[in-house]
Amino acid sequence: MGRVLVMLTAAAAVVACSVATVMVRRRVRRRRKWRKVVGLLKDLEESFETPLGRLRQMVDAIAVEMQAGLVSEGGSKLKMLLTFVDDLPNGSERGTYYALHLGGSYFRIIRVHLGGQRSSLEVQDIERHSIPTSLLNSTSEVLFDFLASSLQRFIEKEGHDSISSQDVKRELAFTFSFPVKQTSLSSGVLIKWTKGFAISEMAGEDIAECLQGAVDRRGLDIHVAALVNDTVGALSYGHYHDPDTIAAVVFGTGSNACYLERTDAIIKCQNPRTTSGSMVVNMEWGNFWSSRLPRTSYDIELDAESLNSNDMGFEKMIGGMYLGDIVRRVILRMSQESDIFGPISSILSTPFVLRTNSVSAMHEDDTPELHEVATILKHLGVPKVPLKVRKLVVKICDVVTRRAARLAAAGISGILKKLGRDGSVGEGRRRSSDKQMMRTVVAVEGGLYSNYRMFREYMDEALRDILGDDVARQVVIKAMEDGSSIGSALLLASSHSVRTISNI
């Protein structure tokens, strides 16, 4: 009996040792896998790093490319497109005007009434709608008929006291958020689609004529009287409220910027007919490229699988359409090289399935257990991950967003440098401390900036780092909502005021 007991005890000890060995091995494997993930995170942080020295090199590169784009067509990655906008609204405009804004993921229709004073601007009606994904790869006829039908519904709901009861043709500004080579304030041809649109037969077509044709087919009494880039509309709205506004940037689905340039600096246009001595230039900065940009394997893969590969490199690092997909690609690679996220989900392998608004929600999740992160990961087919993995995802969101925001700040600083408003003179020499800096306002619009607090904070922080506290105090970043749409209507009103004065 004692012998049996000894044998049983020995067997139990062997089993216990075996179980302990298995548990130790599992723990060691988990630690190895976690160390591998930590190594991947460290590599991510290093490759996405944007030190101040690199940002300042980017600022210089942007200013140089801006100058090159003003000298000759095709002389720069920045197209530096003329807009034929030389008189910005000043508050004296009168009348009722309409605007239709086609963006990357939405469209808006507004009606604005102006009473001749800044305080009398009245947005009488506004509608916002998502763009059906079926339109992105449709035909020009389908797209513009859809926009015209939306305009028709908007007009049909107007009351009898509106302009419809008067014998006056409605004047409409078409706010168009894509690259256009303008030939006048009211006409221009599409250069290329961006932001996921791919309607091939549209290239080279006059955009205003396309909308006017669709409007005419429906018998609507509307005149498409202005074709305005969304950044130009934002600048117009900003300048209407604050004459110190000299540039505008949109951070939304994509990203772009415009600014007010002296006409004598626009060398490629030998005889720009302006009365103000200046003209708004649409930079199309999404296409900016420099070896100083911190491009990673994730960016290369995203670009290769996009509709416009080898194009819009800057936009793909800072645009709202792309940040979510960069985060997704990082999580997917970690899933492929470690099982900390569990089996690889087919959903997680789908491009653009993770939207930037979800990245914002995870990044700014302040619940102790990161419930929002867990919910979004579950929708991506990654359920039941431990808290430390959820914290890892928040860190990934932080790294990707911080890079985007700091690059955005470098873009704005590049414009200020080109205009001599970054606190430097000539070859990087600082202004004397006794010379007062001019107050400079940059209008900013777009959901990425207005809805993503961490993006805003990182961008504002980087601007202070690049410019220095003294200069940064004179630079005002003014956020707007619906500014590009309202501003386009204001530009149309301003152009009417100029024509009226010239005819007196």
Side-chain angles (χ1 to χ4, degrees), residues 247-415:
V249 187
V250 171
F251 297 112
T253 305
S255 184
N256 189 22
C258 73
Y259 73 105
L260 196 60
E261 179 62 272
R262 302 186 332 270
T263 50
D264 61 4
I266 308 174
I267 299 172
K268 64 182 178 182
C269 184
Q270 296 181 356
N271 187 28
R273 288 176 289 180
T274 70
T275 57
S276 64
S278 60
M279 182 183 289
V280 178
V281 174
N282 169 15
M283 292 173 61
E284 288 299 332
W285 83 356
N287 204 43
F288 170 72
W289 187 251
S290 167
S291 60
R292 302 302 180 186
L293 284 171
R295 198 181 196 207
T296 69
S297 58
Y298 303 104
D299 301 302
I300 294 170
E301 291 169 2
L302 184 152
D303 178 65
E305 295 177 22
S306 66
L307 291 172
N308 55 343
S309 59
N310 298 315
D311 198 14
M312 307 300 286
F314 189 49
E315 180 174 90
K316 289 172 183 174
M317 289 185 175
I318 67 174
M321 178 176 177
Y322 303 100
L323 298 188
D325 202 56
I326 296 173
V327 170
R328 178 194 69 82
R329 289 173 186 276
V330 175
I331 296 174
L332 179 61
R333 184 173 299 179
M334 288 184 174
S335 297
Q336 292 168 338
E337 300 194 17
S338 169
D339 63 355
I340 63 165
F341 290 98
I344 298 176
S345 161
S346 60
I347 301 175
L348 187 60
S349 301
T350 305
F352 297 103
V353 70
L354 180 61
R355 308 295 292 270
T356 298
N357 58 352
S358 295
V359 171
S360 170
M362 292 192 293
H363 193 184
E364 298 174 358
D365 186 356
D366 58 1
T367 61
E369 297 297 315
L370 298 177
H371 291 302
E372 190 67 29
V373 177
T375 299
I376 292 171
L377 288 176
K378 185 177 180 180
H379 291 157
L380 294 174
V382 185
K384 297 180 180 179
V385 294
L387 181 59
K388 71 174 183 178
V389 176
R390 280 173 257 161
K391 290 180 177 179
L392 172 69
V393 171
V394 174
K395 182 62 179 177
I396 294 169
C397 295
D398 184 75
V399 171
V400 172
T401 300
R402 184 173 184 270
R403 181 188 72 163
R406 288 174 68 81
L407 294 180
I412 293 173
S413 300
I415 298 174

Side-chain angles (χ1 to χ4, degrees), residues 5 18 70 75 77 106 119 154 162 202 212 250 258-259 368 376 387 407 422 436 480 485:
L5 184 60
S18 299
L70 292 174
K77 280 286 189 180
Y106 64 88
S119 59
F154 183 88
S162 71
M202 279 290 299
Q212 187 68 66
V250 171
C258 73
Y259 73 105
I376 292 171
L387 181 59
L407 294 180
D422 68 329
Q436 187 175 1
M480 300 182 303
S485 306

Side-chain angles (χ1 to χ4, degrees), residues 24-302:
V24 168
R25 286 175 178 172
R26 286 178 178 174
R27 191 176 296 116
V28 169
R29 281 198 298 268
R30 283 198 297 268
R31 286 175 178 172
R32 285 175 179 168
K33 290 173 182 176
W34 185 250
R35 281 199 298 269
K36 188 169 187 178
V37 168
V38 170
L40 287 171
L41 179 61
K42 184 178 179 181
D43 292 342
L44 179 76
E45 290 177 306
E46 290 176 352
S47 61
F48 274 63
E49 189 55 51
T50 50
L52 185 56
R54 171 175 275 185
L55 292 179
R56 285 182 171 153
Q57 289 172 335
M58 273 191 57
V59 170
D60 293 341
I62 289 171
V64 168
E65 288 292 312
M66 289 173 71
Q67 182 60 40
L70 292 174
V71 170
S72 64
E73 293 291 350
S76 167
K77 280 286 189 180
L78 299 176
K79 294 190 179 299
M80 306 300 285
L81 301 171
L82 306 184
T83 64
F84 297 89
V85 173
D86 62 317
D87 284 294
L88 292 169
N90 57 24
S92 64
E93 295 78 15
R94 293 178 177 274
T96 299
Y97 300 90
Y98 296 75
L100 186 153
H101 182 180
L102 179 64
S105 54
Y106 64 88
F107 71 97
R108 298 183 183 118
I109 306 173
I110 67 165
R111 183 176 71 247
V112 174
H113 180 73
L114 307 170
Q117 296 179 350
R118 283 189 172 90
S119 59
S120 63
L121 187 157
E122 180 187 1
V123 180
Q124 294 182 329
D125 198 3
I126 184 167
E127 287 185 359
R128 302 179 184 87
H129 302 282
S130 296
I131 297 173
T133 54
S134 60
L135 290 179
L136 303 184
N137 297 284
S138 63
T139 65
S140 59
E141 184 176 353
V142 170
L143 172 64
F144 285 98
D145 280 350
F146 171 80
L147 296 176
S149 67
S150 301
L151 272 172
Q152 184 172 19
R153 288 192 298 272
F154 183 88
I155 289 168
E156 286 174 348
K157 71 176 187 177
E158 292 182 335
H160 293 294
D161 58 343
S162 71
I163 195 172
S164 59
S165 63
Q166 308 168 24
D167 188 22
V168 178
K169 202 176 187 74
R170 292 177 178 85
E171 296 285 315
L172 173 81
F174 187 17
T175 315
F176 193 69
S177 303
F178 304 89
V180 167
K181 183 176 178 59
Q182 296 209 217
T183 52
S184 71
L185 178 62
S186 59
S187 61
V189 297
L190 176 69
I191 297 174
K192 61 183 176 183
W193 287 109
T194 56
K195 307 179 184 76
F197 275 77
I199 303 175
S200 58
E201 82 274 12
M202 279 290 299
E205 293 290 321
D206 188 302
I207 299 302
E209 286 184 3
C210 289
L211 180 59
Q212 187 68 66
V215 164
D216 292 344
R217 286 194 293 273
R218 289 185 172 268
L220 302 179
D221 196 23
I222 293 175
H223 175 218
V224 182
L227 179 63
V228 184
N229 182 265
D230 56 345
T231 61
V232 180
L235 175 57
S236 168
Y237 186 60
H239 190 273
Y240 182 85
H241 289 290
D242 191 332
D244 288 338
T245 306
I246 50 86
V249 187
V250 171
F251 297 112
T253 305
S255 184
N256 189 22
C258 73
Y259 73 105
L260 196 60
E261 179 62 272
R262 302 186 332 270
T263 50
D264 61 4
I266 308 174
I267 299 172
K268 64 182 178 182
C269 184
Q270 296 181 356
N271 187 28
R273 288 176 289 180
T274 70
T275 57
S276 64
S278 60
M279 182 183 289
V280 178
V281 174
N282 169 15
M283 292 173 61
E284 288 299 332
W285 83 356
N287 204 43
F288 170 72
W289 187 251
S290 167
S291 60
R292 302 302 180 186
L293 284 171
R295 198 181 196 207
T296 69
S297 58
Y298 303 104
D299 301 302
I300 294 170
E301 291 169 2
L302 184 152

